Amino acid sequence: MQPKTPSSRIICLILIFLISMITNSACQPLSLKVEQVSTEGDYLRVQAPDCDYGGVIKAIEAIDKYTVRFSLCTGDPAFLDKLAFPTFAIQDQEYLSTHRGDSVAMSEQPNGSGPYYLKEFVPDKQLILEANPDYWGTPPKEPSIIFRWSSASASRLTDLRINFSDISDRPEANSYYSIRSDESLNLINRDALNVSFVGMNNEFPPFNDERIRRGISLLLERQTFVNKYYPLGSQIADQFISPALGTGYTPGYRWLDYNPKEGLDLLNKAEYDFTQILKLAYCDIPSDYLPNPGSIAQEIKTQLAEAGVLVSLVRMEPDEFENAIEEGKLAFYLSGWKAEYPDPANFFATIFPVGSKAFGKPYSDIIFMAKEAASNPDPDQRQSRYNRINELLRLHIPAIPLVHGGTALVAVRKVQGLIVGPMHENLEEVTLPGDRLRFTQSHEPVSLWPGDESDVDTLRVTRLIYDTLVEYKTGSTDIKPSLASYWETNAGRTDWTFYLRYGVKFSNGADLDANDVVASFAAQWDAADPNHTGRTGDFQMFKDFFGGFINEEVQETSQ
């Protein structure tokens, strides 16, 4: 027998070591609460101790440098729609930690990977974006965009006419005719993802009688609201879901048509007391779905008075109004909802949430069906459930849908390629003579880091500075790749794996990697994270979309 060579002895030693490791590891318990996983480097992992904390997300982990996995407690077919919202922009981990998640500090020199970067921000005056020369995607058409703002729609329109602006947002309804008559201007409608409605609480007489709720609905001529108080592009709401949303809307299904005779017959059969005065509460803050709440409330009062139903109006302050609805203290009220993300779950989970007292005793069949639809991964089965919900809403009538309120942009004719979608405008793809695009919006951005923001004027600007994992396609609510070049999910929609693009750089020169994604979400999700700061610290959009934070008790203890 020949003696073993040094190399063969080394191989034997390695084999013995590996066998020993395998044997020993089989006896060791596996840790399920590891916060960081180390393979070729340190990859971040954040996870909930369990799913009892009240949120949707179970864990977020960097699998390798360019792969991120989200594990959810329940299936979420709308997960991509949520991730595309500009609030969930991705930030460089080191930059985020250096500034400890402070929105004010990060707004001084925004560090994004989007088509533009900040050149100048003069508060109360203007903000200038310049094209990002290192942008990973299609270069923006215009070298710069100048944002200005005015809360007065007439002033925004004047800016266009005196050549101080190229695009203006949200003209008033009474200016639509003059805009359409002006050959130098172009009015572009925005699809409505909202609904206004009249709520009725079944804990209060007479709304505890379904015949009364149905009769009130039949007495309202809803087309009058569209004609008198809403801009062009608005439409009568036959369902709570707008047809622009697609999923959740039942084609051809109509609400109760205006029929005062049938309505009065129902009230009489229910022995309605026509001497009583119904108190209709409302908040006089204009919105897309209620552009003039006071006038719309007065129209409801007038229409019902024609049938002998007496109504008095109760104007309330915003916080008082919302709290009173949530606590079930209002019998009769005018309200509405605008989609935060383009999925019917956002409407039904907000208007008819589990445990809500807004409409009195819960309509258990509606709530059960909405919960089933929200987590069902099969598109056809989801739609079938939403069809049933639409039938149940017309059967029980907890509320009366009124109008899907439209909005619009106005642009000078020389602007080319502008597409106004329900979620955003394609300002990065617009062209016009000259080397800059000028946009006038309603308000100044409140911050240039969007993680703790929901304001539409703020997110319009930050969407051009930062990128999300996925984004909405131009002019629609469909999803397309962004920082993630592609993704995979399981049949139950509980596991989502995203594969990041190579070569994406932030403004500070850092390369995008999976840890950046985990750190960006951890700053919002984990209340104990040092970067859980933001501007207000509320991170309301994260809570609305994903249900809540982990480690809130740790944060409270540290305080």
Side-chain angles (χ1 to χ4, degrees):
M1 180 181 292
Q2 296 294 323
K4 293 180 180 178
T5 64
S7 60
S8 63
R9 283 198 297 271
I10 292 172
I11 293 172
C12 288
L13 288 171
I14 292 173
L15 288 173
I16 292 170
F17 174 76
L18 290 175
I19 292 170
S20 174
M21 289 292 290
I22 293 171
T23 304
N24 290 336
S25 66
C27 300
Q28 300 296 320
L30 292 175
S31 173
L32 298 178
K33 295 185 179 180
V34 177
E35 294 300 325
Q36 285 197 347
V37 178
S38 178
T39 54
E40 296 180 349
D42 289 329
Y43 297 123
L44 295 179
R45 173 188 175 93
V46 182
Q47 73 175 48
D50 52 51
C51 286
D52 294 334
Y53 77 99
V56 173
I57 300 176
K58 182 190 301 181
I60 308 173
E61 56 186 321
I63 305 301
D64 58 39
K65 189 173 182 179
Y66 293 105
T67 309
V68 182
R69 177 180 297 142
F70 291 76
S71 301
L72 309 182
C73 294
T74 59
D76 189 356
F79 192 62
L80 295 177
D81 297 315
K82 297 175 181 179
L83 295 188
F85 198 75
T87 291
F88 305 111
I90 305 304
Q91 177 61 273
D92 171 49
Q93 178 195 3
E94 182 178 352
Y95 187 88
L96 184 65
S97 297
T98 299
H99 294 83
R100 296 187 65 82
D102 187 333
S103 291
V104 176
M106 292 194 291
S107 293
E108 293 178 1
Q109 189 175 357
N111 179 49
S113 60
Y116 287 90
Y117 68 90
L118 178 68
K119 179 180 181 182
E120 177 185 87
F121 185 13
V122 182
D124 301 322
K125 184 179 179 182
Q126 67 179 19
L127 181 149
I128 302 177
L129 299 181
E130 289 285 333
N132 179 1
D134 298 320
Y135 182 51
W136 56 268
T138 303
K141 302 292 186 182
E142 289 300 317
S144 66
I145 301 179
I146 301 173
F147 286 94
R148 300 187 181 100
W149 40 85
S150 172
S151 59
S153 61
S155 296
R156 298 195 297 271
L157 189 55
T158 298
D159 284 351
L160 290 176
R161 287 177 164 147
I162 64 173
N163 195 32
F164 190 63
S165 179
D166 302 306
I167 306 174
S168 173
D169 192 25
R170 285 176 160 75
E172 285 188 342
N174 58 15
S175 67
Y176 276 43
Y177 179 78
S178 67
I179 295 170
R180 286 177 173 266
S181 302
D182 190 332
E183 293 184 354
S184 68
L185 300 178
N186 189 19
L187 181 70
I188 307 174
N189 290 317
R190 180 185 286 113
D191 284 339
L193 296 183
N194 62 58
V195 64
S196 58
F197 61 83
V198 177
M200 294 170 286
N201 190 313
N202 62 27
E203 293 277 16
F204 294 88
F207 302 110
N208 57 336
D209 190 325
E210 189 175 284
R211 294 171 297 177
I212 301 296
R213 300 195 300 271
R214 182 175 298 275
I216 295 293
S217 181
L218 290 165
L219 294 176
L220 292 179
E221 172 51 280
R222 294 173 300 131
Q223 188 62 48
T224 300
F225 297 102
V226 177
N227 297 343
K228 292 178 67 172
Y229 305 106
Y230 286 82
L232 292 174
S234 304
Q235 58 186 306
I236 191 171
D238 279 314
Q239 302 168 39
F240 286 85
I241 298 297
S242 165
L245 196 62
T247 302
Y249 178 79
T250 305
Y253 196 78
R254 295 175 57 117
W255 193 256
L256 303 174
D257 290 328
Y258 174 59
N259 191 328
K261 181 182 182 305
E262 184 179 342
L264 278 174
D265 286 344
L266 279 172
L267 295 185
N268 286 322
K269 289 177 181 178
E271 299 182 350
Y272 180 78
D273 179 6
F274 285 90
T275 65
Q276 67 183 307
I277 300 177
L278 304 179
K279 294 181 179 180
L280 178 67
Y282 71 99
C283 173
D284 203 15
I285 302 296
S287 62
D288 291 352
Y289 51 82
L290 286 172
N292 195 332
S295 297
I296 294 170
Q298 181 60 49
E299 180 67 30
I300 293 172
K301 175 181 177 179
T302 299
Q303 289 192 19
L304 293 180
E306 292 175 357
V309 176
L310 304 179
V311 175
S312 66
L313 303 182
V314 181
R315 182 182 178 277
M316 302 177 68
E317 293 302 314
D319 289 344
E320 178 190 15
F321 180 68
E322 294 299 331
N323 290 337
I325 292 176
E326 185 176 340
E327 295 169 7
K329 294 180 178 179
L330 297 182
F332 195 39
Y333 55 92
L334 175 63
S335 187
W337 178 250
K338 178 183 178 182
E340 294 171 324
Y341 58 90
D343 189 87
N346 185 237
F347 280 84
F348 292 121
T350 305
I351 301 175
F352 305 101
V354 176
S356 173
K357 299 178 181 179
F359 304 102
K361 294 177 182 177
Y363 295 90
S364 56
D365 49 0
I366 293 176
I367 293 173
F368 172 79
M369 198 63 66
K371 185 178 180 180
E372 286 282 307
S375 60
N376 195 305
D378 185 277
D380 292 334
Q381 291 183 22
R382 285 193 87 203
Q383 185 60 50
S384 175
R385 284 160 174 75
Y386 285 123
N387 292 344
R388 179 57 179 158
I389 291 172
N390 291 330
E391 293 175 354
L392 291 171
L393 287 168
R394 196 175 72 170
L395 174 66
H396 298 312
I397 312 188
I400 306 165
L402 296 178
V403 180
H404 301 300
T407 57
L409 286 181
V410 189
V412 296
R413 291 284 181 180
K414 63 183 178 180
V415 170
Q416 300 294 316
L418 176 62
I419 298 175
V420 181
M423 304 306 295
H424 65 74
E425 310 89 20
N426 63 332
L427 299 184
E428 66 275 27
E429 299 174 338
V430 166
T431 61
L432 72 166
D435 58 359
R436 50 69 183 131
L437 172 67
R438 299 165 300 174
F439 191 103
T440 306
Q441 57 187 29
S442 301
H443 301 99
E444 178 177 336
V446 296
S447 170
L448 294 181
W449 168 243
D452 195 17
E453 308 300 340
S454 60
D455 170 66
V456 63
D457 290 321
T458 295
L459 298 181
R460 173 182 287 115
V461 175
T462 62
R463 190 191 74 82
L464 298 169
I465 299 175
Y466 302 93
D467 291 311
T468 45
L469 285 173
V470 296
E471 64 180 325
Y472 306 113
K473 289 183 179 179
T474 298
S476 79
T477 59
D478 294 338
I479 296 295
K480 69 176 184 179
S482 184
L483 292 181
S485 58
Y486 66 101
W487 54 88
E488 298 172 340
T489 185
N490 62 348
R493 303 297 190 267
T494 56
D495 291 311
W496 296 81
T497 304
F498 295 88
Y499 301 90
L500 304 183
R501 294 183 186 277
Y502 299 115
V504 175
K505 287 187 176 293
F506 292 97
S507 299
N508 67 348
D511 294 319
L512 170 74
D513 63 34
N515 279 350
D516 298 325
V517 178
V518 178
S520 297
F521 276 90
Q524 298 189 44
W525 182 36
D526 186 355
D529 191 293
N531 299 326
H532 188 77
T533 306
R535 183 175 61 87
T536 67
D538 290 340
F539 297 99
Q540 188 59 50
M541 298 309 292
F542 186 93
K543 286 193 286 188
D544 287 351
F545 284 31
F546 301 114
F549 307 139
I550 55 173
N551 294 322
E552 284 192 281
E553 69 284 352
V554 176
Q555 182 189 48
E556 292 169 0
T557 301
S558 66
Q559 293 174 346

